[in-house]
Amino acid sequence: MMSAVEFEHALNQLAPYTSLLHFHVLGEPLLHPLIGHFLDLCDKKQIRVHIVTNGTLLNKCIINLHNKDALRSVSISLQSMCATASFEEFSDYLTSLINAIETFQESASPLFTFRLWNKGSESGKITYSDAIREIERHFNINGLVESLNLQRGCMLRPNISINTAEHFEWPHINDTSSENTTGYCLGLKEQIGVLTDGTVIPCCLDHEGIINLGNLFTTPLQTILASDRTQTIKKSFQKNMIAEELCKQCSYRRRFDRDSSD
């Protein structure tokens, strides 16, 4: 868990490169007792924040998110609860989320997005279809299934949206079932990740730090981004080639297999 000093150091390193931070990389950001302070530090740097959470702590921690100008949006990953919850538990979970969000005035609220990324998968206690029907019931709307067959997302309320996507597996270095040596990715082009120990990674899917590009607690980020390994990964993607073994196992990367012209 990052200390306040470590976070501020990381923020100073990142600020010249971005105006938007995402608080995630598999972990649960609402567990951090200093999340409100971190949002204040981001605001001082004029950096906006997007939080990704499973939402189970939202009702308890919502007070830490009020009146935080840095907070732009909050994505709530519903699929984690779908995997383990009973119908009653899932219903109570949705009620808790809605109650927490309703503590914001719509005019002062960040955008909350219900993220349901298990489309096409009927595994788990709550399937994709089950979840959609339950969301329809909680928001008293009809035709959500049909709408989401035509588009990935839509608004449920002025400050609540839903976003859907196909199910994907997190990449594992020893899993060769998805291995591919050609392909494209936005890692190191539009994003990097920083783990709690300062390890810099190409994207948020490398939660174990397998592609360790350096540590910004000990090495300037500018140096890390200019390193041979970082540049090899970036230039390989530009040529529609995959340099790292973990990236070869990544099925999520296939969403970007379109053009490599820029």
Side-chain angles (χ1 to χ4, degrees), residues 158 162 202:
I162 183 170

Side-chain angles (χ1 to χ4, degrees), residues 224-243:
I224 294 172
L225 295 179
S227 70
D228 289 343
R229 188 177 188 182
T230 301
Q231 290 301 308
T232 295
I233 297 169
K234 187 175 181 179
K235 290 176 182 178
S236 294
F237 281 140
Q238 291 172 349
K239 297 175 182 177
N240 209 42
M241 300 296 292
I242 304 173

